[in-house]
Amino acid sequence: MTDAAIGYGSAFDISTDGGSTWASPGEVLDMTPPSDTVDMIDATHFGSANRTREFIANLRDPGECSVDIHFAPGSAGDTLIQSVRDAAAVVKGRITFENGVVWTFDMLLMSYEPQVPLDDKMVATVTFKITASYGVTAAAAPANSVLPAVSGVAQEGEDLTALTGVWSGAPAFTYQWQTDGSGSWANISGATASTYTVLTGDVGDNLRVIVTGTNGAGSAAATSAATDAVVAA
């Protein structure tokens, strides 16, 4: 079976306090992680064998990291990037790949290039120069730190939406809605989307959703608080 994967589900974050807290610069569209090249020194001399150049390895160069994001002027991400620019200091970057592997590195902001087209979405490219080597953390199973929640009105015919909460490990999510109509919590057959339309049969019952996060290292589940008892339309 192939190890090929798409980048969907990966995440990029910035820390301005040495890695204690992390924040996203915005909705990421594309990402180029740090490179890993080795500079070469020409060590050719008059006695080089077969008139062939010789080289020795010099220092490693981690290159640059760039991300394309949806540009939202005045947003938390925009404010974060501008504060990093104004500080002109080393900050930490973190890429969490879709399989849960994490790269962390020190970086300096090189450029922040918003684009505001007439008839298309606004985007911005943020480019950092990587300083020193990046660290690699093996994939870990997802962990939930803020429980999922249910958004919407618990009323017949209304749509409820599952809010995933906060997770580590860049997981993909699946959903299972439950009802306590039988006196204990039970799965609602077929209710496995992120939204659920409240049915007539749900009137008087409480509802909740179980969110399961999965990445290459495993999975974990977290359950929302129950809604109020469903009311008739």
Side-chain angles (χ1 to χ4, degrees):
M1 183 176 179
T2 182
D3 290 330
I6 62 174
Y8 177 82
S10 299
F12 177 80
D13 298 293
I14 298 170
S15 174
T16 58
D17 57 9
S20 296
T21 60
W22 296 88
S24 170
E27 296 175 340
V28 177
L29 313 175
D30 196 10
M31 179 164 41
T32 302
S35 59
D36 201 357
T37 60
V38 179
D39 295 332
M40 293 293 160
I41 297 175
D42 190 334
T44 309
H45 56 97
F46 287 147
S48 293
N50 299 319
R51 301 174 59 215
T52 302
R53 291 192 179 277
E54 299 179 74
F55 297 87
I56 59 174
N58 196 356
L59 302 178
R60 292 171 57 189
D61 183 352
E64 301 171 1
C65 173
S66 64
V67 291
D68 292 340
I69 61 173
H70 284 145
F71 175 53
S75 65
D78 178 44
T79 301
L80 171 63
I81 296 168
Q82 294 198 44
S83 69
V84 170
R85 177 203 60 199
D86 294 343
V90 173
V91 296
K92 286 192 174 294
R94 180 179 69 183
I95 296 175
T96 305
F97 295 97
E98 55 81 30
N99 65 355
V101 173
V102 178
W103 287 10
T104 55
F105 39 87
D106 292 337
M107 59 188 190
L108 289 159
L109 181 64
M110 292 179 63
S111 64
Y112 181 32
E113 304 174 79
Q115 299 178 33
V116 185
L118 174 65
D119 57 355
D120 201 351
K121 63 187 176 185
M122 298 190 296
V123 298
T125 300
V126 191
T127 304
F128 299 90
K129 178 63 180 176
I130 310 305
T131 174
S133 184
Y134 56 84
V136 179
T137 303
N144 175 263
S145 56
V146 176
L147 287 175
V150 176
S151 174
V153 178
Q155 182 176 347
E156 178 187 2
E158 295 293 322
D159 288 336
L160 300 179
T161 300
L163 307 179
T164 57
V166 177
W167 298 73
S168 63
F173 296 109
T174 56
Y175 308 88
Q176 177 62 64
W177 292 87
Q178 293 189 320
T179 176
D180 66 353
S182 61
S184 60
W185 289 105
N187 293 344
I188 301 173
S189 179
T192 56
S194 60
T195 60
Y196 175 70
T197 301
V198 182
L199 304 177
T200 302
D202 295 323
V203 173
D205 301 341
N206 300 99
L207 303 173
R208 69 182 187 182
V209 64
I210 298 174
V211 177
T212 300
T214 303
N215 65 16
S219 62
T223 303
S224 74
T227 66
D228 294 333
V230 174
V231 297

